[in-house]
Amino acid sequence: MSEPSKVTVFYDDRVLNHSPDVNAAFLPGRLDKRVRSILSGLNVQWKYPEHPGRIQAILDLLERDPIAGLEFAGGQVATREQLGRVHTTSYLDDVFSLRDKHAWLDVDTTAVSPGSVEAAEVAAGTAVAAVEAVVSGRTRSAFALVRPPGHHAEPVRARGFCLFNNVAVAAAHAHSELGCERILILDWDAHHGNGTQDIFWADPDVMFFDIHRAAPFYPGSGGLYEVGAGLGEGTTVNVPMPGGAGDVAYLKALNDILVPAAEYFKPDLILVSAGFDAHWYDLALNVSYEGFAAMTGIVRALADRLCDGRLAFVLEGGYNTESLSYGVRSVLDVLAGGPVPEPRVCGMEEVEQAAAYHLSAFTEEPPGH
């Protein structure tokens, strides 16, 4: 076990106020009919997957099974200036006009409830607070426990449960106000961070590294040859994975691609868009809790070596509340100085246990021989 390291979880209760109701009759006419038709064909009642219970499950687990040295700090509301660095004025006007309302924003089922706009402002602002604490040295590392998530939100469009791009807002703030000249964003959510890629597509000062399940899995972007453009060509790195990929493939991608890319780029700050839907409980990929912990160990070592340990995580997806909560805890445990596990190929340990149990029966000649 390494020396204890101060890690701070940034959290604000206002993020729980985002709670879209899919049964409310607030869709515009044509879209209303289309979505109602889809929902009526399901065998079970569909509920909005990105719900407040996701955060509550994480908090409950950390209360039941606390991590020594883990500290909590409050969040804050993002300013319009901070949001405006990554989103257009017209888009912000449209979103703010939905304050205190029910509305659907697009066909990806991105919706808002009366408390959603404030929750989204707080989510982005809390990511900013986490980065400010890390850059100032008030904490060694930070985890912004926020929702709605952000990495699908584009400069002019809400997508995939995301309203404001939290990690992009935090990165732009660090670059504009905190003196960070180069920022590395690692996105390990199962879904490609199309919004983050779009925002920094031509920006040479932000390296965006995304490992995700390959198209046609949602949102369908993130191909291998999508590498940025203009001055930012080469600072977008996509690693699309097949559906069966798990710990071994993920760790190889980080060690063989992320590490040399980061050493070449020399970031002043590392941010992680930390989604946990790559766990097999979310039926997208096959990453384990040990896999998330081991990836955290790799990223923490990079931050220690390249940017004085400045490292902040921002919560993205993960919709099975058990794998989400235990995945987050596995990350926080490593950040707090816990041991970094060495994941094994799924099933190997069980096979070895079975072999130890059974094989002794076959070491002697059977009766009658």
Side-chain angles (χ1 to χ4, degrees), residues 8-12 72-76 126 129-130:
T8 304
V9 172
F10 286 81
Y11 169 70
D12 190 304
F72 280 80
Q76 62 192 36
T126 300

mmCIF file with all atom_site columns, all heavy atoms in Angstrom, residues 8-12 72-76 126 129-130:
data_model
loop_
_atom_site.group_PDB
_atom_site.id
_atom_site.type_symbol
_atom_site.label_atom_id
_atom_site.label_alt_id
_atom_site.label_comp_id
_atom_site.label_asym_id
_atom_site.label_entity_id
_atom_site.label_seq_id
_atom_site.pdbx_PDB_ins_code
_atom_site.Cartn_x
_atom_site.Cartn_y
_atom_site.Cartn_z
_atom_site.occupancy
_atom_site.B_iso_or_equiv
_atom_site.pdbx_formal_charge
_atom_site.auth_seq_id
_atom_site.auth_comp_id
_atom_site.auth_asym_id
_atom_site.auth_atom_id
_atom_site.pdbx_PDB_model_num
ATOM 1  N N   . THR A 1 8   ? -10.298 14.456 -2.466  1.00 0.00 ? 8   THR A N   1
ATOM 2  C CA  . THR A 1 8   ? -11.514 15.161 -2.072  1.00 0.00 ? 8   THR A CA  1
ATOM 3  C C   . THR A 1 8   ? -12.621 14.873 -3.070  1.00 0.00 ? 8   THR A C   1
ATOM 4  O O   . THR A 1 8   ? -12.422 14.982 -4.284  1.00 0.00 ? 8   THR A O   1
ATOM 5  C CB  . THR A 1 8   ? -11.259 16.680 -2.011  1.00 0.00 ? 8   THR A CB  1
ATOM 6  O OG1 . THR A 1 8   ? -10.167 16.943 -1.131  1.00 0.00 ? 8   THR A OG1 1
ATOM 7  C CG2 . THR A 1 8   ? -12.500 17.404 -1.502  1.00 0.00 ? 8   THR A CG2 1
ATOM 8  N N   . VAL A 1 9   ? -13.774 14.479 -2.547  1.00 0.00 ? 9   VAL A N   1
ATOM 9  C CA  . VAL A 1 9   ? -14.970 14.307 -3.361  1.00 0.00 ? 9   VAL A CA  1
ATOM 10 C C   . VAL A 1 9   ? -15.768 15.609 -3.306  1.00 0.00 ? 9   VAL A C   1
ATOM 11 O O   . VAL A 1 9   ? -16.121 16.083 -2.217  1.00 0.00 ? 9   VAL A O   1
ATOM 12 C CB  . VAL A 1 9   ? -15.831 13.139 -2.854  1.00 0.00 ? 9   VAL A CB  1
ATOM 13 C CG1 . VAL A 1 9   ? -17.169 13.099 -3.597  1.00 0.00 ? 9   VAL A CG1 1
ATOM 14 C CG2 . VAL A 1 9   ? -15.099 11.822 -3.026  1.00 0.00 ? 9   VAL A CG2 1
ATOM 15 N N   . PHE A 1 10  ? -16.042 16.179 -4.459  1.00 0.00 ? 10  PHE A N   1
ATOM 16 C CA  . PHE A 1 10  ? -16.830 17.404 -4.542  1.00 0.00 ? 10  PHE A CA  1
ATOM 17 C C   . PHE A 1 10  ? -18.266 17.033 -4.901  1.00 0.00 ? 10  PHE A C   1
ATOM 18 O O   . PHE A 1 10  ? -18.515 16.357 -5.905  1.00 0.00 ? 10  PHE A O   1
ATOM 19 C CB  . PHE A 1 10  ? -16.233 18.360 -5.578  1.00 0.00 ? 10  PHE A CB  1
ATOM 20 C CG  . PHE A 1 10  ? -14.972 19.018 -5.095  1.00 0.00 ? 10  PHE A CG  1
ATOM 21 C CD1 . PHE A 1 10  ? -13.759 18.357 -5.155  1.00 0.00 ? 10  PHE A CD1 1
ATOM 22 C CD2 . PHE A 1 10  ? -15.009 20.299 -4.556  1.00 0.00 ? 10  PHE A CD2 1
ATOM 23 C CE1 . PHE A 1 10  ? -12.597 18.957 -4.698  1.00 0.00 ? 10  PHE A CE1 1
ATOM 24 C CE2 . PHE A 1 10  ? -13.854 20.907 -4.103  1.00 0.00 ? 10  PHE A CE2 1
ATOM 25 C CZ  . PHE A 1 10  ? -12.649 20.244 -4.161  1.00 0.00 ? 10  PHE A CZ  1
ATOM 26 N N   . TYR A 1 11  ? -19.195 17.475 -4.059  1.00 0.00 ? 11  TYR A N   1
ATOM 27 C CA  . TYR A 1 11  ? -20.592 17.053 -4.220  1.00 0.00 ? 11  TYR A CA  1
ATOM 28 C C   . TYR A 1 11  ? -21.526 18.148 -3.738  1.00 0.00 ? 11  TYR A C   1
ATOM 29 O O   . TYR A 1 11  ? -21.235 18.843 -2.755  1.00 0.00 ? 11  TYR A O   1
ATOM 30 C CB  . TYR A 1 11  ? -20.858 15.758 -3.439  1.00 0.00 ? 11  TYR A CB  1
ATOM 31 C CG  . TYR A 1 11  ? -22.315 15.417 -3.343  1.00 0.00 ? 11  TYR A CG  1
ATOM 32 C CD1 . TYR A 1 11  ? -23.020 14.995 -4.466  1.00 0.00 ? 11  TYR A CD1 1
ATOM 33 C CD2 . TYR A 1 11  ? -23.003 15.532 -2.136  1.00 0.00 ? 11  TYR A CD2 1
ATOM 34 C CE1 . TYR A 1 11  ? -24.373 14.718 -4.397  1.00 0.00 ? 11  TYR A CE1 1
ATOM 35 C CE2 . TYR A 1 11  ? -24.351 15.244 -2.050  1.00 0.00 ? 11  TYR A CE2 1
ATOM 36 C CZ  . TYR A 1 11  ? -25.034 14.832 -3.187  1.00 0.00 ? 11  TYR A CZ  1
ATOM 37 O OH  . TYR A 1 11  ? -26.378 14.559 -3.114  1.00 0.00 ? 11  TYR A OH  1
ATOM 38 N N   . ASP A 1 12  ? -22.652 18.291 -4.405  1.00 0.00 ? 12  ASP A N   1
ATOM 39 C CA  . ASP A 1 12  ? -23.662 19.284 -4.057  1.00 0.00 ? 12  ASP A CA  1
ATOM 40 C C   . ASP A 1 12  ? -25.039 18.638 -4.237  1.00 0.00 ? 12  ASP A C   1
ATOM 41 O O   . ASP A 1 12  ? -25.342 18.086 -5.298  1.00 0.00 ? 12  ASP A O   1
ATOM 42 C CB  . ASP A 1 12  ? -23.516 20.511 -4.973  1.00 0.00 ? 12  ASP A CB  1
ATOM 43 C CG  . ASP A 1 12  ? -24.361 21.690 -4.538  1.00 0.00 ? 12  ASP A CG  1
ATOM 44 O OD1 . ASP A 1 12  ? -25.593 21.526 -4.411  1.00 0.00 ? 12  ASP A OD1 1
ATOM 45 O OD2 . ASP A 1 12  ? -23.785 22.784 -4.352  1.00 0.00 ? 12  ASP A OD2 1
ATOM 46 N N   . PHE A 1 72  ? -14.841 15.357 1.897   1.00 0.00 ? 72  PHE A N   1
ATOM 47 C CA  . PHE A 1 72  ? -15.903 15.886 1.045   1.00 0.00 ? 72  PHE A CA  1
ATOM 48 C C   . PHE A 1 72  ? -15.866 17.406 1.053   1.00 0.00 ? 72  PHE A C   1
ATOM 49 O O   . PHE A 1 72  ? -15.524 18.026 2.058   1.00 0.00 ? 72  PHE A O   1
ATOM 50 C CB  . PHE A 1 72  ? -17.279 15.408 1.522   1.00 0.00 ? 72  PHE A CB  1
ATOM 51 C CG  . PHE A 1 72  ? -17.623 14.010 1.092   1.00 0.00 ? 72  PHE A CG  1
ATOM 52 C CD1 . PHE A 1 72  ? -17.124 12.914 1.781   1.00 0.00 ? 72  PHE A CD1 1
ATOM 53 C CD2 . PHE A 1 72  ? -18.436 13.788 -0.018  1.00 0.00 ? 72  PHE A CD2 1
ATOM 54 C CE1 . PHE A 1 72  ? -17.434 11.622 1.387   1.00 0.00 ? 72  PHE A CE1 1
ATOM 55 C CE2 . PHE A 1 72  ? -18.754 12.508 -0.420  1.00 0.00 ? 72  PHE A CE2 1
ATOM 56 C CZ  . PHE A 1 72  ? -18.259 11.411 0.287   1.00 0.00 ? 72  PHE A CZ  1
ATOM 57 N N   . ALA A 1 73  ? -16.211 17.989 -0.067  1.00 0.00 ? 73  ALA A N   1
ATOM 58 C CA  . ALA A 1 73  ? -16.316 19.449 -0.191  1.00 0.00 ? 73  ALA A CA  1
ATOM 59 C C   . ALA A 1 73  ? -17.532 19.765 -1.046  1.00 0.00 ? 73  ALA A C   1
ATOM 60 O O   . ALA A 1 73  ? -17.996 18.929 -1.832  1.00 0.00 ? 73  ALA A O   1
ATOM 61 C CB  . ALA A 1 73  ? -15.048 20.039 -0.808  1.00 0.00 ? 73  ALA A CB  1
ATOM 62 N N   . GLY A 1 74  ? -18.049 20.962 -0.903  1.00 0.00 ? 74  GLY A N   1
ATOM 63 C CA  . GLY A 1 74  ? -19.251 21.356 -1.619  1.00 0.00 ? 74  GLY A CA  1
ATOM 64 C C   . GLY A 1 74  ? -18.983 21.759 -3.054  1.00 0.00 ? 74  GLY A C   1
ATOM 65 O O   . GLY A 1 74  ? -17.841 21.990 -3.463  1.00 0.00 ? 74  GLY A O   1
ATOM 66 N N   . GLY A 1 75  ? -20.061 21.866 -3.816  1.00 0.00 ? 75  GLY A N   1
ATOM 67 C CA  . GLY A 1 75  ? -19.965 22.291 -5.201  1.00 0.00 ? 75  GLY A CA  1
ATOM 68 C C   . GLY A 1 75  ? -20.308 23.754 -5.364  1.00 0.00 ? 75  GLY A C   1
ATOM 69 O O   . GLY A 1 75  ? -20.432 24.497 -4.386  1.00 0.00 ? 75  GLY A O   1
ATOM 70 N N   . GLN A 1 76  ? -20.490 24.158 -6.606  1.00 0.00 ? 76  GLN A N   1
ATOM 71 C CA  . GLN A 1 76  ? -20.816 25.546 -6.896  1.00 0.00 ? 76  GLN A CA  1
ATOM 72 C C   . GLN A 1 76  ? -21.493 25.621 -8.256  1.00 0.00 ? 76  GLN A C   1
ATOM 73 O O   . GLN A 1 76  ? -21.444 24.667 -9.037  1.00 0.00 ? 76  GLN A O   1
ATOM 74 C CB  . GLN A 1 76  ? -19.558 26.413 -6.890  1.00 0.00 ? 76  GLN A CB  1
ATOM 75 C CG  . GLN A 1 76  ? -18.537 26.023 -7.951  1.00 0.00 ? 76  GLN A CG  1
ATOM 76 C CD  . GLN A 1 76  ? -17.182 26.695 -7.766  1.00 0.00 ? 76  GLN A CD  1
ATOM 77 O OE1 . GLN A 1 76  ? -16.734 26.898 -6.633  1.00 0.00 ? 76  GLN A OE1 1
ATOM 78 N NE2 . GLN A 1 76  ? -16.529 27.038 -8.875  1.00 0.00 ? 76  GLN A NE2 1
ATOM 79 N N   . THR A 1 126 ? -19.254 22.323 -10.195 1.00 0.00 ? 126 THR A N   1
ATOM 80 C CA  . THR A 1 126 ? -18.575 21.439 -9.251  1.00 0.00 ? 126 THR A CA  1
ATOM 81 C C   . THR A 1 126 ? -17.339 20.812 -9.890  1.00 0.00 ? 126 THR A C   1
ATOM 82 O O   . THR A 1 126 ? -16.320 20.601 -9.221  1.00 0.00 ? 126 THR A O   1
ATOM 83 C CB  . THR A 1 126 ? -19.557 20.368 -8.749  1.00 0.00 ? 126 THR A CB  1
ATOM 84 O OG1 . THR A 1 126 ? -20.664 21.022 -8.103  1.00 0.00 ? 126 THR A OG1 1
ATOM 85 C CG2 . THR A 1 126 ? -18.898 19.421 -7.767  1.00 0.00 ? 126 THR A CG2 1
ATOM 86 N N   . ALA A 1 129 ? -14.838 23.457 -9.531  1.00 0.00 ? 129 ALA A N   1
ATOM 87 C CA  . ALA A 1 129 ? -14.343 23.512 -8.149  1.00 0.00 ? 129 ALA A CA  1
ATOM 88 C C   . ALA A 1 129 ? -13.303 22.426 -7.894  1.00 0.00 ? 129 ALA A C   1
ATOM 89 O O   . ALA A 1 129 ? -12.287 22.667 -7.215  1.00 0.00 ? 129 ALA A O   1
ATOM 90 C CB  . ALA A 1 129 ? -15.509 23.377 -7.166  1.00 0.00 ? 129 ALA A CB  1
ATOM 91 N N   . ALA A 1 130 ? -13.536 21.225 -8.427  1.00 0.00 ? 130 ALA A N   1
ATOM 92 C CA  . ALA A 1 130 ? -12.581 20.132 -8.248  1.00 0.00 ? 130 ALA A CA  1
ATOM 93 C C   . ALA A 1 130 ? -11.244 20.465 -8.895  1.00 0.00 ? 130 ALA A C   1
ATOM 94 O O   . ALA A 1 130 ? -10.169 20.231 -8.311  1.00 0.00 ? 130 ALA A O   1
ATOM 95 C CB  . ALA A 1 130 ? -13.158 18.846 -8.843  1.00 0.00 ? 130 ALA A CB  1
#
